[in-house]
Amino acid sequence: MATVHGNAIGIYVTGVAGEVTADPLDPDVAELVACSTNATLSLSNATIETACKKDATGVLSDSSVRHTIPGLQTWSMQVEGLVELSVPGSVTAPRNFQSLFELAKDRTDILVVFSDRDSSNYEYYGKGFISSIEVSASVDDFATYSCTIEGNGDITSAVHT
């Protein structure tokens, strides 16, 4: 079994207005969010209770058993990292806090990818938007940010090519 080191996992985004890409929904054109120190992928399935006042044999009883079916599915990705406030030297520079801030402020739909970019490993991607972003700075410490991207539609898993 191959293991993936946490330092190799990143969150990649695309969707900034004016980007020149062949396909803005292609996970291969997404850019790494710079200075990330933590990346998280979350998937949740809601449940719908289908129990009635019967036991397992179909007889009305106070000892009913709870039955459920899957409901709505939601997913999100979170990224945390160090803040870089300087202006990038080129348009090919990695995404930074300012990039994420502008995407959040403009309520931009983005493609977000959770991957290590290894061609033999899975990656997870889908469209979403930044639902929250915050930055904090403590005395004698690095300024850090945290950002949550809420999925909008399906999340896809595929082997990175």
Side-chain angles (χ1 to χ4, degrees):
M1 177 176 99
T3 58
V4 177
H5 196 276
N7 288 355
I9 297 293
I11 288 185
Y12 300 75
V13 299
T14 189
V16 178
E19 284 185 339
V20 180
T21 61
D23 179 2
L25 297 181
D26 180 355
D28 289 330
V29 300
E31 297 176 69
L32 181 64
V33 176
C35 299
S36 62
T37 58
N38 190 24
T40 305
L41 167 64
S42 302
L43 180 93
S44 297
N45 290 311
T47 58
I48 300 169
E49 190 166 329
T50 61
C52 61
K53 296 178 181 180
K54 292 191 256 180
D55 63 15
T57 63
V59 177
L60 287 175
S61 168
D62 284 340
S63 61
S64 300
V65 178
R66 182 175 182 245
H67 296 274
T68 60
I69 60 172
L72 291 177
Q73 187 174 75
T74 60
W75 63 271
S76 65
M77 292 186 198
Q78 295 83 33
V79 62
E80 298 172 353
L82 303 176
V83 172
E84 173 63 59
L85 293 177
S86 62
V87 177
S90 72
V91 293
T92 60
R95 298 281 176 232
N96 59 17
F97 171 77
Q98 179 61 26
S99 301
L100 295 175
F101 181 82
E102 291 299 325
L103 290 168
K105 186 171 87 70
D106 295 341
R107 300 178 185 151
T108 304
D109 272 345
I110 59 174
L111 176 76
V112 61
V113 184
F114 185 90
S115 178
D116 67 356
R117 295 303 207 193
D118 187 311
S119 62
S120 63
N121 291 337
Y122 280 95
E123 63 186 7
Y124 306 89
Y125 60 93
K127 284 178 54 179
F129 63 95
I130 296 174
S131 61
S132 68
I133 188 166
E134 67 179 39
V135 63
S136 60
S138 301
V139 174
D140 293 332
D141 203 359
F142 294 109
T144 60
Y145 70 91
S146 63
C147 174
T148 299
I149 300 130
E150 294 290 331
N152 186 10
D154 288 336
I155 187 166
T156 303
S157 62
V159 174
H160 177 73
T161 56

